[in-house]
């Protein structure tokens, strides 16, 4: 069986086969990868514990699939094209051969610094090629990487390092993003005050920001590379890994306060990201593929690094932001590097659309053959603008629905092969068995229905556990509905059987495509000494998709509301990161609570949305009068 599906008829046939004979299907797909030893058993599973094992008995290293196996034929093909933040700085190209050399070199740096198979390494780097090198070097020697997005605070880094007991941190002096410089090393220094497990910090030079290097703990990336060079640059053969050995941990927000360390393992993740990448985008051998995500999120892991590289693709990574120096930057990059496939987020599309068509006009986008979106539901207006202005009406848009926990795309069009409808993720990819259930877990059959989206059969890229706390994994994903993986998303299946994701049904916000738990933001707000209690909900935001609305009971807000607002924002930035700062803070004297003390978020959500005409039944509230006061306050904020 070829990896790429070429017609709708073939999709239907293969989908059918993948459901009837999943193990045979995935074994055939897995044949397209390089194994040191093949599996004894394709799949072992139950969703009770859960216990999920793919390709047991197989031995492999994902970097041999992403690098070594391509070098013979594709050695001089660009693996990574790097476009810097500043358009006047030179871009960089790393061919497959060069990337392999650099990964081996840095693998030896890690080894020289005492890192061995199974050790956890925290990576807090800007979007530079060394980030890809660091990630792959960890994978090469069997160390487990935990990449932390550059926008997170010292506290968030410390929590993640401590949760995984990381022994080493890889960071840079600083990072460039638009007009901003972020002092990464200094943020790491603040974090490490709380981290006992870290023995070594490797610091890359990027911005030349002054940094304090601690003797015995901190070393420069460049010095460590020189040491390997003086050792004669020995090769670093890839560590042979078991199929279910841990590949990485990536933290993500859920409905409870503490981010979870989602665990992905070697074989299944490799097969799944490679298969879904090549299919959904129908990648052709000479195409340049540009994903605008940050590697700090799952999209960057799966679809900048592992998926494209395992398929021998040219993956373009961008250090900066879409609106600097102006809102034409992405289109300049497309023109400059003759990008064929562009994969971005609805929030970026909306903000560039709002900036005006003058930034697109005159740019040569004729190389574009396929477009993709990810991260949140896309509104029809943005979809059509993307289709018309960027794709010129001839590039299929793949609206890829998936999650950190799913490893790769679950529901998505296959470009040019399966149909597309604006706002729809369309049909499940082969091997994926979605079902809709009602509140009681009853399956909702047929078409023209909506419900909570679950998956009833394992796929190779799925979450295996939450690091250090398997019970949490079970409770969050596998206990809400018996024998199903619960996604946390609401979904509609239309008359044609096409899927449309309607958004989270739990207390998770999606702000500019970033997942943020309301409880997490509340915890951060509550850290402020003037705050007694708070409740956070999302509300529709024209660019971000969702904005963060905080209702806060404060002890002294009457002195100066605006100052208190700024202080709360500062607190949230410190505790989580600037991405979690509330867009609106409303001071209230009480929150609508049930007699059992539960906050009625439904009411707060409606008020935040500005839809107060029908708040539903408020008679069960402890103090119904508080609702009128909150309504009035909200009017004033609007
Ligand atoms: C890949 C990624 C996952 C949540 C997910 C859903 C939302 C992602 C979407 C989408 C509608 C799409 N989401 N893709 N909603 N259409 N194409 O974003 O992972 O950060 O874990 O977020 O994002 O709500 O549950 P992650």
């Amino acid at each position: 069986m070829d990896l790429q599906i070429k017609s709708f008829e073939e999709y239907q046939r293969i989908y059918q086969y993948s459901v009837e004979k999943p193990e045979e299907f995935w074994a055939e797909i897995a044949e397209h990868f390089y194994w040191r030893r093949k599996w004894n058993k394709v799949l072992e599973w139950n969703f009770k514990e859960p216990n999920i094992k793919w390709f047991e008995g197989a031995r492999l290293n994902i970097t041999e699939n992403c690098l070594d196996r391509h070098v013979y034929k594709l050695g001089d093909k660009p693996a990574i094209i790097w476009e810097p933040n500043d358009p006047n700085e030179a871009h960089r190209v790393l061919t497959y051969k060069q990337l392999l050399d650099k990964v081996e070199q840095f693998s030896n740096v890690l080894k020289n610094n005492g890192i061995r198979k199974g050790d956890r390494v925290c990576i807090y780097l800007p979007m530079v090629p060394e980030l890809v090198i660091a990630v792959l070097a960890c994978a090469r020697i069997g160390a487990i990487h935990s990449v932390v997005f550059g926008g997170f605070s010292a506290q968030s880094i410390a929590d993640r390092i401590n949760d995984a007991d990381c022994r080493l941190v890889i960071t840079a002096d600083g990072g460039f993003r638009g007009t901003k410089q972020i002092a990464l090393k200094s943020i790491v220094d603040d974090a490490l005050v709380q981290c006992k497990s870290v023995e070594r910090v490797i610091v890359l030079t990027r911005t030349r920001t002054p940094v304090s290097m601690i003797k015995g703990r901190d070393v420069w990336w460049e010095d460590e590379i020189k040491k390997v060079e003086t050792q004669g640059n020995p090769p670093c053969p890839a560590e042979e890994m078991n199929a279910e050995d841990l590949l990485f941990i990536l933290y993500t927000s859920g409905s409870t306060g503490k981010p979870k360390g989602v665990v992905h393992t070697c074989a299944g993740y490799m097969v799944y990201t490679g298969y879904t990448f090549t299919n959904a985008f129908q990648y052709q051998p000479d195409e340049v593929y540009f994903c605008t995500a940050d590697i700090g999120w799952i999209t960057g892991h799966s679809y900048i690094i592992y998926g494209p590289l395992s398929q021998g693709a040219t993956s373009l990574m961008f250090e900066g932001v879409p609106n600097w120096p102006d809102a034409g930057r992405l289109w300049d990059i497309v023109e400059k590097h003759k990008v064929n496939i562009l994969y971005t987020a609805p929030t970026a599309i909306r903000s560039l659309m709002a900036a005006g068509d003058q930034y697109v006009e005159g740019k040569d986008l004729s190389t574009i053959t396929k477009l993709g979106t990810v991260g949140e539901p896309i509104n029809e207006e943005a979809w059509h603008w993307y289709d018309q202005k960027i794709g010129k009406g001839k590039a299929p848009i793949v609206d890829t629905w998936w999650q950190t926990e799913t490893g790769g795309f679950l529901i998505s069009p296959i470009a040019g092969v399966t149909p597309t409808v604006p706002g729809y993720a369309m049909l499940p990819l082969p091997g994926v068995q979605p079902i809709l259930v009602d509140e009681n877990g009853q399956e909702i059959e047929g078409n023209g229905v909506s419900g909570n989206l679950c998956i009833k059969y394992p796929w190779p890229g799925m979450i295996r556990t939450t690091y250090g706390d398997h019970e949490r994994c079970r409770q969050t994903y596998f206990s809400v509905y018996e024998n199903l993986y619960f996604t946390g998303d609401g979904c509609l299946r239309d008359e044609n059987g096409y899927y449309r994701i309607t958004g989270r049904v739990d207390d998770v916000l999606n702000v500019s495509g970033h997942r943020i738990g309301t409880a997490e933001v509340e915890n951060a707000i509550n850290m402020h000494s003037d705050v007694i209690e708070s409740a956070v909900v999302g509300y529709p935001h024209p660019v971000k998709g969702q904005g963060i609305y905080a209702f806060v009971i404060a002890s002294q807000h009457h002195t100066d509301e605006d100052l208190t607002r700024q202080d709360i924002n500062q607190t949230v930035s410190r505790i989580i990161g600037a991405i979690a700062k509330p867009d609106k803070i409303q001071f209230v004297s009480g929150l609508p609570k049930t007699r059992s003390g539960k906050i009625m978020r439904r009411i707060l959500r409606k008020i935040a949305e500005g839809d107060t005409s029908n708040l539903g039944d408020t008679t069960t509230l402890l103090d119904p009068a508080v609702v009128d006061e909150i309504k009035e306050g909200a009017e004033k904020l609007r």
Side-chain angles (χ1 to χ4, degrees), residues 286-307:
D286 290 317
E287 286 185 325
V288 174
Y289 160 82
F290 175 20
C291 168
T292 68
D294 192 289
I295 290 170
W297 307 106
I298 190 68
T299 305
H301 282 61
S302 300
Y303 298 109
I304 293 178
I305 304 181
Y306 290 114

Side-chain angles (χ1 to χ4, degrees), residues 252 297-299 373-378 399-405 425 487 489 501 503-504 510 513 515:
T252 190
W297 307 106
I298 190 68
T299 305
T373 76
V374 60
E376 51 176 318
I378 183 166
D399 181 346
T400 60
W401 173 80
W402 60 298
Q403 312 176 297
T404 306
E405 295 86 344
T487 66
D489 279 324
I501 311 301
R504 301 290 302 197
N510 193 325
R515 255 168 87 168

Side-chain angles (χ1 to χ4, degrees), residues 302-323:
S302 300
Y303 298 109
I304 293 178
I305 304 181
Y306 290 114
L309 296 183
S310 85
Q311 299 308 302
T314 295
S315 182
L316 191 155
M317 66 186 287
F318 173 41
E319 184 183 33
V321 292
N323 55 6

